[in-house]
Amino acid sequence: MQTLIYLAGFALICLASHRIGQWFAQIRLPYITGYLFTGVLVGSFGLQLLPSSAGENLRFIDQIALAVIAFVAGSELFYKDLLSRLRSILWSLGMIIAIALAFIGTTLFFLLDIIPFTQGLNIGDKIAVALLGTTILLALSPPSTIAVIKELRARGPATRLILGLTVAMDVAIIVIFAISSSFAVALVESSGVNLAFLVLLLLDLILSGIAGYGVGQVLQVILRQSWSRWVKLTLIVALGYGIFAGADWLKTISAASWSIKIVIEPLLVALISGFLITNFSPYRDEFAELLHDISPVVYVAFFTITGLGLKLDILLTALIFAAVIFLVRALAIFSGSMLGLTIAGEPSRFRSLLWLGLITQAGIALGLAREASLLLPMLGDAFATLIIAVIVLNEIFGPLTLRFALQRLGEANLPEPGIRDDVRDVLILGVEQQSIALARQLSARGWQVRVADTDRDHVQRLAAEDVDERYIPEVSLQTLSGLITRATDAVVALLEKDEDNLRACQIALEKFGVPRLIVRPNRSELREQFRELGAIIVDPATAMVNLLEQAVRAPQSLSLLLHTDPVYDVVQMTVTNREIDGRLVRDLRLPADVLLLEISRDGQAIVPHGYTRLRHGDELTIVGKPDSLREVSLRIG
């Protein structure tokens, strides 16, 4: 009954925490800082709406949240995205981990004699704290990194390397945590590190792998059913809790029955299962979508309950020491990444700036800190508070340093002040009611539009304040040079004389390489010449009949073509990311609300399927929600 009362109160607090997190975001602070603040505010150091002991009753929320966070970490490790940079990632990971163990571990070891609440520890306890603390502080934050990349519209080799390193580091750290926690417990309990210990540790890791495979199989059974989303979400959450409950049961039974304590790491189990679903099952898109639906709720609950356990008095005492550890951690990441990238042969501009993208921490680090506080009963919440103080500093400053690095590397694509982002350029020749309406529709969808005509009377008579209309005396290279550039995406020729339309298309293609030519011919004599140029011919005589036929056969597709669907849009994108070259369509990991309709290659239309290979320069016709389409454009180039 006490747990139900605490749970009801905590649910109401989470609603407030979500709102407070949004307020923090408005002042450019991370959401999780607001969630942690709310937990501290309602706890024993604030309004005392919930006692600090409530955290123990609500431990199952912690476990569910940690399982979901580990599922997410595993689902983000799509190994095909890492292959092109695998050498750089492995060398950087190895060097960062090795140097951080030396730098951060040594710093923590000696600070423990100075920090008021850690004085008096024996050498075994100090080594255990330093080992676990270093492991936790090496964890990064893929969600925060992805958020900054999306905000900056960043793309390029450095961006992909930073993201690959961030994802791979979290996976490596969960594995290392499973090992280091076993060593830490052995040191704290003075049970010694011998051959039997190492064999048992190896057995624990093997059992964790087997359990991860088993959980992955159960997840596949859940995902292949035709149940509703809420049923599947409920079962995934229950399975996440079951991983922790099963690990606790095995630890208790093995210690009581076999006189050995078998410890499988629940986070590692969940991570392995998420990795298997993403890389070796047909359900990765649905799994990612379900995790996306549940993650916001999980993060609010987890970070709020973490804040509930923070000791405000210890936090204030620990701030100066947290700042020292923050600086040492940054130095370790800088040194390790510089050395690793140098060995891997990356260019010097990467080596000097890339480390700034590896500062941010969040979910996994906080989860490991909570787990470690339970493994170190002599410190408990005090240890977690110190580590969380460092994590908060990293979460505040990490996105800023990542933003700076991407901008200095020239891979941020923010528009200039006053310029719209994702702008594409079009020239419409011919001033008339239809061309004005077309200009307005394209402008509303973010295009930079210019309209020109050789008839001054047309330009003056139909002048509109919201359309850039210009008079040109003739169609020639000289007059079009001020209207067409190498960045022009399309030319629409609607002039009264077909000879002028043909000359404009020839100049646009041959002199400027404009990829899209659209023409509305007035006579049939020049149609073959337009076709030779690759122009799209719009025939007024048949266009309406074709649209009416489409309305009868497939009305929903017509709403997309006519832009009357308020949710979805149809766009064409060019593959410019060379790492996509040769990638199967099924390995693009497109958002669930995005569909690839057609591939245009060397003038040939290809109807794609999962095993169609993309090539650099392909033109993709894609339908989806605007936000998802922007995400796809960043991925393919």
Side-chain angles (χ1 to χ4, degrees):
M1 180 58 70
Q2 189 71 42
T3 300
L4 288 176
I5 294 173
Y6 285 153
L7 182 60
F10 183 70
L12 294 175
I13 290 168
C14 283
L15 294 175
S17 183
H18 180 258
R19 173 61 66 180
I20 292 172
Q22 292 177 331
W23 291 341
F24 270 65
Q26 291 173 4
I27 59 174
R28 310 292 293 180
L29 286 174
Y31 282 97
I32 69 165
T33 309
Y35 303 154
L36 291 169
F37 170 79
T38 305
V40 173
L41 182 66
V42 303
S44 56
F45 286 89
L47 301 176
Q48 299 184 4
L49 299 181
L50 279 179
S52 56
S53 59
E56 190 60 36
N57 294 79
L58 301 176
R59 171 66 180 157
F60 69 94
I61 295 178
D62 252 352
Q63 294 174 333
I64 290 172
L66 288 170
V68 172
I69 290 171
F71 282 147
V72 171
S75 69
E76 288 170 344
L77 184 64
F78 189 57
Y79 76 92
K80 292 183 180 179
D81 285 344
L82 307 180
L83 289 178
S84 62
R85 293 281 179 174
L86 190 59
R87 175 180 168 84
S88 298
I89 289 173
L90 292 180
W91 274 113
S92 299
L93 281 182
M95 293 300 100
I96 291 173
I97 291 170
I99 292 176
L101 285 172
F103 283 24
I104 304 175
T106 302
T107 302
L108 275 172
F109 183 84
F110 287 107
L111 280 180
L112 293 175
D113 287 331
I114 304 173
I115 300 172
F117 52 83
T118 61
Q119 294 177 0
L121 296 177
N122 62 48
I123 190 167
D125 291 345
K126 289 165 64 177
I127 293 174
V129 172
L131 182 61
L132 282 180
T134 303
T135 302
I136 295 166
L137 291 174
L138 277 174
L140 302 177
S141 176
S144 298
T145 301
I146 292 170
V148 174
I149 289 173
K150 286 183 178 179
E151 178 189 352
L152 296 180
R153 301 186 178 277
R155 68 183 80 181
T159 301
R160 290 189 288 273
L161 182 54
I162 288 172
L163 185 56
L165 264 170
T166 302
V167 173
M169 179 66 85
D170 268 10
V171 175
I173 289 309
I174 289 178
V175 176
I176 294 172
F177 181 82
I179 298 172
S180 61
S181 60
S182 297
F183 276 95
V185 170
L187 290 168
V188 169
E189 296 179 354
S190 301
S191 56
V193 177
N194 49 35
L195 181 60
F197 169 81
L198 296 176
V199 170
L200 185 59
L201 175 58
L202 180 61
L203 176 63
D204 291 342
L205 292 175
I206 292 173
L207 290 176
S208 296
I210 294 172
Y213 176 80
V215 171
Q217 295 302 305
V218 174
L219 281 171
Q220 288 200 54
V221 172
I222 294 172
L223 294 170
R224 77 166 59 104
Q225 306 303 320
S226 57
W227 299 327
S228 69
R229 297 177 64 80
W230 285 109
V231 171
K232 292 183 179 182
L233 279 173
T234 302
L235 291 174
I236 290 173
V237 167
L239 183 60
Y241 174 72
I243 294 172
F244 278 86
D248 290 339
W249 174 83
L250 182 59
K251 185 192 304 183
T252 304
I253 289 296
S254 60
S257 302
W258 307 321
S259 299
I260 59 171
K261 188 183 292 184
I262 296 178
V263 181
I264 65 172
E265 176 52 54
L267 288 173
L268 182 57
V269 173
L271 182 142
I272 291 172
S273 61
F275 170 79
L276 293 175
I277 291 294
T278 295
N279 291 275
F280 304 106
S281 86
Y283 308 109
R284 64 167 176 250
D285 293 334
E286 183 182 6
F287 187 56
E289 192 174 350
L290 289 169
L291 292 178
H292 180 269
D293 289 344
I294 194 65
S295 291
V297 178
V298 164
Y299 289 148
V300 172
F302 174 69
F303 294 132
T304 303
I305 203 170
T306 299
L308 187 66
L310 287 179
K311 306 294 185 183
L312 192 58
D313 53 344
I314 296 176
L315 181 63
L316 295 175
T317 305
L319 280 179
I320 184 64
F321 304 106
V324 172
I325 298 170
F326 168 80
L327 294 174
V328 172
R329 177 181 181 269
L331 177 62
I333 292 175
F334 167 74
S335 303
S337 64
M338 279 285 287
L339 182 56
L341 294 173
T342 300
I343 296 172
E346 292 289 347
S348 58
R349 68 188 188 96
F350 283 15
R351 300 197 298 265
S352 60
L353 290 169
L354 192 132
W355 69 279
L356 291 168
L358 306 176
I359 301 298
T360 301
Q361 289 190 294
I364 286 291
L366 284 170
L368 295 178
R370 294 279 291 173
E371 287 293 292
S373 67
L374 299 177
L375 294 173
L376 302 175
M378 73 288 190
L379 290 179
D381 289 338
F383 170 79
T385 300
L386 171 64
I387 299 300
I388 288 171
V390 184
I391 294 170
V392 169
L393 291 176
N394 291 325
E395 177 65 6
I396 291 173
F397 291 103
L400 301 178
T401 58
L402 172 58
R403 185 186 182 95
F404 174 79
L406 292 175
Q407 290 176 329
R408 288 296 301 272
L409 287 165
E411 296 191 1
N413 290 283
L414 286 177
E416 296 294 329
I419 303 296
R420 296 186 62 157
D421 58 359
D422 63 1
V423 169
R424 306 192 77 171
D425 188 274
V426 61
L427 170 65
I428 303 174
L429 294 172
V431 177
E432 57 179 55
Q433 295 291 353
Q434 287 186 346
S435 64
I436 297 296
L438 174 62
R440 286 171 174 156
Q441 284 200 11
L442 290 173
S443 295
R445 293 189 174 266
W447 285 66
Q448 181 70 40
V449 185
R450 291 175 299 281
V451 184
D453 201 324
T454 56
D455 189 321
R456 189 188 298 273
D457 181 60
H458 287 179
V459 176
Q460 293 176 345
R461 182 161 45 86
L462 293 175
E465 294 182 358
D466 58 338
V467 177
D468 181 4
E469 297 155 313
R470 306 185 189 186
Y471 164 71
I472 55 175
E474 62 179 359
V475 175
S476 65
L477 177 59
Q478 182 180 1
T479 58
L480 293 182
S481 293
L483 301 173
I484 305 177
T485 69
R486 290 284 177 182
T488 300
D489 295 281
V491 168
V492 182
L494 307 176
L495 294 167
E496 290 183 345
K497 296 180 179 180
D498 282 351
E499 291 79 7
D500 287 342
N501 288 328
L502 180 61
R503 192 177 305 114
C505 290
Q506 289 171 334
I507 293 170
L509 178 65
E510 295 168 4
K511 301 298 183 182
F512 299 97
V514 176
R516 261 170 258 169
L517 306 173
I518 300 97
V519 62
R520 184 193 61 195
N522 299 292
R523 306 188 313 275
S524 59
E525 287 85 348
L526 299 179
R527 287 186 179 228
E528 190 58 36
Q529 292 176 263
F530 283 124
R531 289 194 182 95
E532 290 176 0
L533 293 174
I536 298 173
I537 299 175
V538 178
D539 188 345
T542 61
M544 183 57 68
V545 174
N546 292 334
L547 285 175
L548 291 172
E549 180 194 12
Q550 190 71 14
V552 173
R553 297 174 57 204
Q556 186 58 42
S557 66
L558 185 65
S559 68
L560 291 172
L561 291 172
L562 298 180
H563 300 303
T564 57
D565 189 311
V567 178
Y568 291 93
D569 199 0
V570 180
V571 299
Q572 192 162 334
M573 300 179 187
T574 304
V575 177
T576 58
N577 177 5
R578 292 195 176 274
E579 294 183 10
I580 298 295
D581 188 48
R583 182 80 60 87
L584 297 176
V585 169
R586 71 188 301 272
D587 293 333
L588 278 182
R589 302 183 74 199
L590 296 174
D593 55 1
V594 167
L595 180 64
L596 175 58
L597 300 178
E598 185 181 77
I599 300 173
S600 177
R601 179 182 302 158
D602 300 327
Q604 300 295 317
I606 301 171
V607 178
H609 52 76
Y611 292 93
T612 302
R613 290 193 182 276
L614 296 174
R615 298 299 178 195
H616 184 264
D618 282 354
E619 291 278 343
L620 311 183
T621 303
I622 305 175
V623 60
K625 295 179 180 178
D627 288 343
S628 297
L629 291 174
R630 281 191 286 271
E631 179 182 338
V632 174
S633 72
L634 294 176
R635 189 176 303 173
I636 69 172

